[in-house]
Amino acid sequence: MDAQQVEIIGRNWLVNRIIEDGLEVARPERDRGVDLIAYADLAEAGGFVARPIQMKAATRARFGIDKRFALIAELLVVFVWLEEEAAFTLSYPEAVRVGEEMGYIDTGSWRLRGKYDTTRPSARLRTVLEPYRMGPGEWRRRIAGA
């Protein structure tokens, strides 16, 4: 698969999981760092609640942090690993904490370019990411706080 196919498949997989949790999804017309907006719009959610999502889809496991994620308020970065049918959702501060714990913040890549990326997550990184794994009901909790 090429990169566009991976993105399309990953986005559709992610949208399905969010909708299965009883939320809605909107797609911005322009790509300015937000790929999707997940929201709850019913009174049961306490009113309209929305969160912007930057999706990082990959066929295999991948994790990265980027300082530009800090520019969008309330942004959730969702890593979709297609082969494992898994998703991990982190806010920018959570991603930075993972980067600190893993030592990524101390690399030249982070200091010079403001980003760090790995396509071969170690067993330790996988353990650190486990609390951010999304399952049924988790999307509603992360988006609407319910």
Side-chain angles (χ1 to χ4, degrees):
M1 287 187 285
D2 65 36
Q4 287 179 332
Q5 290 171 313
V6 170
E7 183 175 346
I8 291 166
I9 292 167
R11 182 177 54 238
N12 288 328
W13 184 89
L14 176 57
V15 167
N16 287 338
R17 301 290 98 54
I18 293 170
I19 290 173
E20 286 172 354
D21 263 11
L23 299 170
E24 299 297 328
V25 177
R27 294 183 182 153
E29 293 293 323
R30 295 176 2 141
D31 184 353
R32 298 186 55 189
V34 175
D35 295 317
L36 299 169
I37 300 168
Y39 65 95
D41 62 354
L42 301 176
E44 67 191 44
F48 185 85
V49 179
R51 293 293 296 267
I53 293 174
Q54 168 61 229
M55 181 198 67
K56 298 296 183 186
T59 54
R60 295 191 174 106
R62 175 181 179 233
F63 176 78
I65 52 177
D66 192 319
K67 286 184 180 179
R68 67 186 169 94
F69 296 159
L71 302 175
I72 301 170
E74 308 266 337
L75 182 71
L76 293 175
V77 183
V78 179
F79 298 91
V80 175
W81 299 351
L82 293 174
E83 284 185 354
E84 297 182 30
E85 293 191 21
F88 301 86
T89 300
L90 297 86
S91 65
Y92 178 73
E94 290 169 336
V96 169
R97 281 195 297 275
V98 168
E100 289 170 343
E101 186 168 339
M102 295 301 299
Y104 301 155
I105 303 302
D106 298 324
T107 64
S109 176
W110 179 258
R111 285 193 308 269
L112 298 174
R113 297 184 312 130
K115 59 172 86 174
Y116 182 90
D117 190 61
T118 179
T119 56
R120 292 180 179 236
S122 65
R124 181 170 169 240
L125 175 57
R126 286 173 176 268
T127 299
V128 171
L129 288 175
E130 197 56 35
Y132 304 102
R133 181 185 290 270
M134 303 301 286
E138 292 296 313
W139 296 106
R140 180 168 284 284
R141 182 185 62 77
R142 284 305 305 246
I143 304 303

